[in-house]
Amino acid sequence: GEDVEQSLFLSVREGDSSVINCTYTDSSSTYLYWYKQEPGAGLQLLTYIFSNMDMKQDQRLTVLLNKKDKHLSLRIADTQTGDSAIYFCAERGAGGYNKLIFGAGTRLAVHP
Amino acid sequence: DAGVIQSPRHEVTEMGQEVTLRCKPISGHNSLFWYRQTMMRGLELLIYFNNNVPIDDSGMPEDRFSAKMPNASFSTLKIQPSEPRDSAVYFCASSLILAGGEQYFGPGTRLTVT
């Protein structure tokens, strides 16, 4: 079946790079997504990558996709305190209708 | 665009009362999703619609939960009767079925049932 797994917690120092990892099971996934959730808010779409791409960069964010290992990562360069949030990885599920399968979320804590 | 709109933002009710949560999707989107988020269970997909038709309600926890989408710009999630274990944040998200297919989330309704 479809499943997405993430580590639950990551702590980094301000100014360092953060790397959040995700594994998924559905090899037919066409799109994979990263969402950010700040306290008391909804999920905000950060970026997504099409399955025929290996990498996508958007300012401080870099997404890497390893289809062979079904591994997705999000790198945040020069991590700031404002980046502290929960980050969710998601894959587009089978069957159309844009159903997404979400991981449990990785809580990123940025400390001085 | 105003994004996905949900109301109320906060709801406190007593056990046994009926609760109705509302959602207005992004104009032009044709898929709508209801989620529930708790510390214990994380983010759960309850039900989703395409072109106002319910596609999959297998995530609805019990018959006390029901959802409708009478038109493309409005959906409701109703709990009747409510129980303390229904306390959670309920999110609505909308999407357009095209390449990309990303979902856009509303701010959520925080429900507390006492």
Coordinates of all heavy atoms in Angstrom, one line a residue, chain A residues 31 33 35 37 40-45 48 86 88 92 94-100 102-104 107, chain B residues 9 31 33 35 37 43 45 48 50 55-56 91 95-107:
Chain A
Y31 N 4.1 12.9 -8.4 CA 4.5 14.1 -7.8 C 4.7 13.9 -6.3 O 4.0 13.1 -5.7 CB 3.4 15.2 -7.9 CG 3.3 15.8 -9.3 CD1 2.4 15.2 -10.2 CD2 4.0 16.8 -9.7 CE1 2.3 15.7 -11.5 CE2 3.9 17.3 -11.0 CZ 3.1 16.8 -11.9 OH 3.0 17.3 -13.2
Y33 N 5.7 16.2 -2.6 CA 5.4 17.5 -2.1 C 6.1 17.7 -0.7 O 6.3 16.8 0.0 CB 3.9 17.8 -1.9 CG 3.1 17.5 -3.2 CD1 2.7 16.2 -3.4 CD2 2.7 18.5 -4.0 CE1 1.9 15.9 -4.5 CE2 1.9 18.2 -5.1 CZ 1.5 16.9 -5.4 OH 0.8 16.6 -6.5
Y35 N 5.3 20.3 2.5 CA 4.5 21.3 3.2 C 5.1 21.7 4.5 O 5.8 20.9 5.1 CB 3.1 20.7 3.5 CG 2.2 20.6 2.3 CD1 2.3 19.5 1.4 CD2 1.2 21.6 2.0 CE1 1.4 19.4 0.3 CE2 0.4 21.5 0.9 CZ 0.5 20.4 0.1 OH -0.4 20.3 -1.0
Q37 N 4.1 23.5 8.3 CA 3.1 23.9 9.2 C 3.7 24.7 10.4 O 4.4 24.1 11.2 CB 2.2 22.7 9.7 CG 1.0 23.2 10.5 CD 0.2 22.0 11.0 OE1 0.7 20.9 11.2 NE2 -1.1 22.2 11.1
G40 N -0.4 26.7 15.0 CA -1.7 27.3 14.9 C -2.1 27.6 13.5 O -3.1 28.3 13.3
A41 N -1.4 27.1 12.5 CA -1.7 27.5 11.1 C -2.0 26.2 10.3 O -1.7 25.1 10.8 CB -0.6 28.3 10.5
G42 N -2.5 26.4 9.1 CA -2.7 25.3 8.2 C -1.4 24.9 7.5 O -0.3 25.5 7.8
L43 N -1.4 23.9 6.7 CA -0.3 23.4 5.9 C -0.1 24.3 4.7 O -1.0 24.6 4.0 CB -0.4 22.0 5.5 CG -0.1 20.9 6.5 CD1 -1.1 20.8 7.6 CD2 0.0 19.5 5.8
Q44 N 1.2 24.8 4.6 CA 1.5 25.7 3.5 C 2.4 24.9 2.5 O 3.4 24.3 2.9 CB 2.3 26.9 4.1 CG 2.9 27.8 3.0 CD 3.9 28.7 3.7 OE1 4.2 28.7 4.9 NE2 4.6 29.5 2.8
L45 N 2.0 24.9 1.3 CA 2.8 24.2 0.2 C 4.1 25.0 0.0 O 4.1 26.2 -0.2 CB 2.1 24.2 -1.1 CG 2.8 23.6 -2.3 CD1 3.0 22.1 -2.0 CD2 2.1 23.8 -3.6
Y48 N 7.1 21.3 -4.8 CA 6.9 20.0 -5.2 C 7.8 19.6 -6.4 O 8.3 20.5 -7.0 CB 5.4 19.7 -5.5 CG 4.8 20.5 -6.7 CD1 4.9 20.0 -8.0 CD2 4.3 21.7 -6.5 CE1 4.3 20.7 -9.1 CE2 3.7 22.4 -7.6 CZ 3.8 21.9 -8.8 OH 3.2 22.6 -9.9
I86 N 6.8 22.3 11.5 CA 6.7 20.9 11.2 C 6.7 20.8 9.7 O 5.9 21.6 9.0 CB 5.4 20.3 11.8 CG1 5.4 20.4 13.3 CG2 5.3 18.8 11.4 CD1 4.1 19.9 13.9
F88 N 6.0 18.4 6.4 CA 5.4 17.2 5.9 C 5.8 16.9 4.5 O 5.8 17.8 3.6 CB 3.9 17.4 5.9 CG 3.2 17.5 7.3 CD1 3.1 18.7 7.9 CD2 2.8 16.3 8.0 CE1 2.5 18.8 9.2 CE2 2.2 16.4 9.2 CZ 2.1 17.7 9.8
R92 N 1.6 11.9 -4.2 CA 0.3 11.9 -4.9 C -0.1 10.5 -5.0 O 0.6 9.7 -5.6 CB 0.4 12.6 -6.2 CG -0.9 12.8 -6.9 CD -0.7 13.6 -8.1 NE -1.9 13.7 -8.9 CZ -2.0 14.4 -10.1 NH1 -0.9 15.0 -10.6 NH2 -3.1 14.5 -10.8
A94 N -2.4 7.0 -5.8 CA -3.0 6.5 -7.0 C -4.5 6.8 -7.1 O -5.1 7.1 -6.1 CB -2.8 4.9 -7.0
G95 N -5.1 6.6 -8.3 CA -6.5 6.8 -8.4 C -6.9 8.2 -8.8 O -8.1 8.4 -8.9
G96 N -6.0 9.1 -9.0 CA -6.4 10.4 -9.4 C -7.0 11.2 -8.3 O -6.8 10.9 -7.2
Y97 N -7.7 12.3 -8.7 CA -8.4 13.2 -7.7 C -7.4 13.9 -6.8 O -7.9 14.6 -5.9 CB -9.4 12.4 -6.9 CG -10.4 11.6 -7.7 CD1 -10.5 10.3 -7.7 CD2 -11.3 12.3 -8.5 CE1 -11.4 9.6 -8.4 CE2 -12.2 11.6 -9.3 CZ -12.3 10.3 -9.2 OH -13.2 9.6 -10.0
N98 N -6.1 13.8 -7.1 CA -5.2 14.6 -6.3 C -5.1 14.2 -4.8 O -4.8 15.0 -4.0 CB -5.4 16.1 -6.4 CG -5.1 16.6 -7.8 OD1 -4.6 15.8 -8.7 ND2 -5.4 17.8 -8.1
K99 N -5.5 13.0 -4.5 CA -5.4 12.6 -3.1 C -3.9 12.5 -2.8 O -3.1 11.9 -3.5 CB -6.0 11.2 -2.9 CG -5.8 10.6 -1.5 CD -6.4 9.2 -1.5 CE -6.1 8.5 -0.2 NZ -6.7 7.1 -0.1
L100 N -3.5 13.0 -1.6 CA -2.1 13.0 -1.2 C -2.0 12.1 0.0 O -2.8 12.1 0.9 CB -1.7 14.4 -0.8 CG -1.7 15.5 -1.9 CD1 -1.1 16.8 -1.4 CD2 -1.0 15.0 -3.2
F102 N 0.3 11.7 3.2 CA 1.2 12.5 4.0 C 2.0 11.6 5.0 O 1.5 10.6 5.5 CB 0.4 13.5 4.9 CG -0.1 14.7 4.0 CD1 -1.3 14.7 3.4 CD2 0.7 15.8 3.9 CE1 -1.7 15.7 2.7 CE2 0.3 16.9 3.2 CZ -0.9 16.9 2.6
G103 N 3.2 12.1 5.2 CA 4.0 11.5 6.3 C 3.5 12.1 7.6 O 2.7 13.0 7.7
A104 N 4.2 11.7 8.7 CA 3.8 12.1 10.1 C 4.3 13.5 10.4 O 3.9 14.1 11.4 CB 4.2 11.1 11.1
R107 N 9.4 17.7 13.0 CA 9.5 19.0 13.7 C 10.9 19.5 13.7 O 11.8 18.8 14.2 CB 9.0 18.8 15.1 CG 9.0 20.1 15.9 CD 8.4 19.9 17.3 NE 7.0 19.4 17.3 CZ 6.0 20.2 17.3 NH1 6.1 21.5 17.2 NH2 4.8 19.7 17.3
Chain B
R9 N -13.2 29.6 13.2 CA -11.8 29.3 13.4 C -11.7 28.5 14.7 O -10.8 27.7 14.8 CB -11.0 30.6 13.5 CG -10.8 31.3 12.2 CD -10.0 30.5 11.1 NE -8.8 29.9 11.7 CZ -7.7 30.6 11.7 NH1 -7.6 31.9 11.3 NH2 -6.6 30.1 12.2
S31 N -11.6 19.8 -6.6 CA -11.5 18.7 -5.6 C -11.4 19.4 -4.2 O -10.7 20.4 -4.0 CB -10.2 17.9 -5.8 OG -10.4 17.0 -6.9
F33 N -11.0 18.4 0.1 CA -10.6 17.4 1.1 C -10.9 17.9 2.5 O -10.6 19.1 2.8 CB -9.1 17.1 0.9 CG -8.7 16.7 -0.5 CD1 -8.5 17.7 -1.5 CD2 -8.5 15.4 -0.8 CE1 -8.2 17.3 -2.8 CE2 -8.1 15.0 -2.1 CZ -8.0 16.0 -3.1
Y35 N -9.7 17.1 6.4 CA -8.7 16.4 7.2 C -9.0 16.7 8.7 O -9.6 17.7 9.1 CB -7.3 16.8 6.9 CG -6.7 16.5 5.6 CD1 -7.0 17.4 4.5 CD2 -6.0 15.4 5.4 CE1 -6.4 17.1 3.3 CE2 -5.4 15.1 4.1 CZ -5.6 16.0 3.1 OH -5.1 15.7 1.9
Q37 N -6.6 16.7 12.4 CA -5.3 16.6 12.9 C -5.3 16.6 14.4 O -5.9 17.5 15.1 CB -4.4 17.8 12.4 CG -2.9 17.7 12.8 CD -2.1 18.8 12.3 OE1 -2.5 20.0 12.4 NE2 -0.9 18.5 11.8
L43 N -2.2 13.7 11.0 CA -3.1 14.2 10.0 C -3.9 13.1 9.3 O -3.3 12.2 8.7 CB -2.3 15.0 8.9 CG -3.1 15.8 7.9 CD1 -3.8 17.0 8.6 CD2 -2.1 16.3 6.8
L45 N -7.0 11.9 6.6 CA -7.9 12.3 5.6 C -9.3 11.7 5.9 O -9.4 10.5 6.1 CB -7.5 11.8 4.2 CG -8.4 12.0 3.0 CD1 -8.6 13.5 2.8 CD2 -7.8 11.3 1.8
Y48 N -13.1 13.0 0.6 CA -12.8 14.0 -0.4 C -13.9 13.9 -1.5 O -14.5 12.9 -1.7 CB -11.4 13.9 -0.9 CG -11.0 12.6 -1.6 CD1 -11.0 12.5 -3.0 CD2 -10.5 11.6 -0.8 CE1 -10.6 11.3 -3.6 CE2 -10.1 10.4 -1.4 CZ -10.1 10.3 -2.8 OH -9.7 9.1 -3.4
N50 N -14.9 15.3 -5.6 CA -14.5 15.8 -6.9 C -15.7 16.2 -7.6 O -16.7 15.5 -7.7 CB -13.8 14.7 -7.7 CG -13.4 15.2 -9.1 OD1 -13.8 14.7 -10.1 ND2 -12.5 16.1 -9.1
I55 N -16.1 11.1 -3.2 CA -15.3 10.0 -3.9 C -15.0 8.9 -2.9 O -15.1 7.7 -3.2 CB -14.1 10.6 -4.6 CG1 -14.4 11.6 -5.6 CG2 -13.3 9.4 -5.2 CD1 -15.3 11.2 -6.7
D56 N -14.5 9.3 -1.7 CA -14.0 8.3 -0.8 C -14.3 8.9 0.6 O -13.7 9.9 1.0 CB -12.5 8.0 -1.0 CG -12.0 6.9 -0.1 OD1 -12.7 6.5 0.8 OD2 -10.8 6.5 -0.3
F91 N -9.1 20.5 9.0 CA -8.7 21.3 7.9 C -9.5 20.9 6.6 O -9.8 19.8 6.4 CB -7.2 21.0 7.6 CG -6.2 21.6 8.6 CD1 -5.6 20.7 9.5 CD2 -6.0 22.9 8.7 CE1 -4.7 21.2 10.4 CE2 -5.1 23.4 9.6 CZ -4.4 22.6 10.5
S95 N -8.1 21.6 -4.5 CA -7.1 21.3 -5.5 C -7.7 21.4 -6.9 O -9.0 21.2 -7.0 CB -6.5 19.9 -5.2 OG -5.6 19.5 -6.2
L96 N -6.9 21.5 -7.9 CA -7.4 21.5 -9.2 C -6.7 20.3 -9.9 O -5.5 20.2 -9.9 CB -7.0 22.8 -9.9 CG -7.4 22.9 -11.4 CD1 -8.9 22.9 -11.5 CD2 -6.9 24.2 -12.0
I97 N -7.6 19.5 -10.5 CA -7.0 18.3 -11.1 C -6.4 18.6 -12.4 O -7.0 18.7 -13.5 CB -8.1 17.2 -11.3 CG1 -8.6 16.8 -9.9 CG2 -7.6 16.0 -12.0 CD1 -9.6 15.7 -9.9
L98 N -5.1 18.9 -12.3 CA -4.2 19.2 -13.5 C -2.9 18.6 -13.1 O -2.6 18.2 -12.0 CB -4.2 20.7 -13.7 CG -5.3 21.4 -14.4 CD1 -5.0 22.9 -14.5 CD2 -5.6 20.8 -15.8
A99 N -2.0 18.7 -14.0 CA -0.6 18.4 -13.7 C -0.1 19.2 -12.5 O -0.4 20.4 -12.5 CB 0.3 18.7 -14.9
G100 N 0.5 18.6 -11.6 CA 0.9 19.3 -10.3 C 0.0 18.8 -9.2 O 0.4 18.2 -8.3
G101 N -1.3 19.1 -9.3 CA -2.3 18.7 -8.4 C -2.1 19.0 -6.9 O -2.6 18.2 -6.1
E102 N -1.4 20.0 -6.6 CA -1.1 20.3 -5.2 C -2.4 20.8 -4.5 O -3.3 21.3 -5.1 CB 0.0 21.4 -5.1 CG -0.4 22.7 -5.7 CD -0.1 22.8 -7.2 OE1 0.1 21.8 -7.9 OE2 0.0 24.0 -7.7
Q103 N -2.4 20.5 -3.2 CA -3.6 20.9 -2.4 C -3.2 22.2 -1.6 O -2.1 22.3 -1.2 CB -3.9 19.8 -1.4 CG -4.5 18.5 -2.0 CD -4.9 17.5 -1.0 OE1 -5.1 17.8 0.2 NE2 -5.1 16.3 -1.5
Y104 N -4.2 23.0 -1.5 CA -4.1 24.2 -0.7 C -5.0 24.2 0.5 O -6.2 23.9 0.4 CB -4.4 25.5 -1.6 CG -3.4 25.6 -2.7 CD1 -3.6 25.0 -3.9 CD2 -2.2 26.4 -2.5 CE1 -2.6 25.2 -4.9 CE2 -1.3 26.5 -3.5 CZ -1.5 25.9 -4.7 OH -0.6 26.0 -5.7
F105 N -4.4 24.4 1.7 CA -5.1 24.2 2.9 C -5.6 25.5 3.5 O -5.0 26.6 3.3 CB -4.1 23.6 4.0 CG -3.9 22.1 3.8 CD1 -3.1 21.6 2.8 CD2 -4.5 21.2 4.7 CE1 -2.9 20.2 2.6 CE2 -4.3 19.9 4.6 CZ -3.5 19.4 3.6
G106 N -6.8 25.4 4.1 CA -7.3 26.5 4.9 C -6.6 26.6 6.2 O -5.8 25.7 6.6
P107 N -7.0 27.6 7.0 CA -6.3 27.8 8.3 C -6.8 26.8 9.4 O -6.2 26.7 10.5 CB -6.7 29.2 8.7 CG -8.0 29.4 8.0 CD -8.0 28.6 6.7

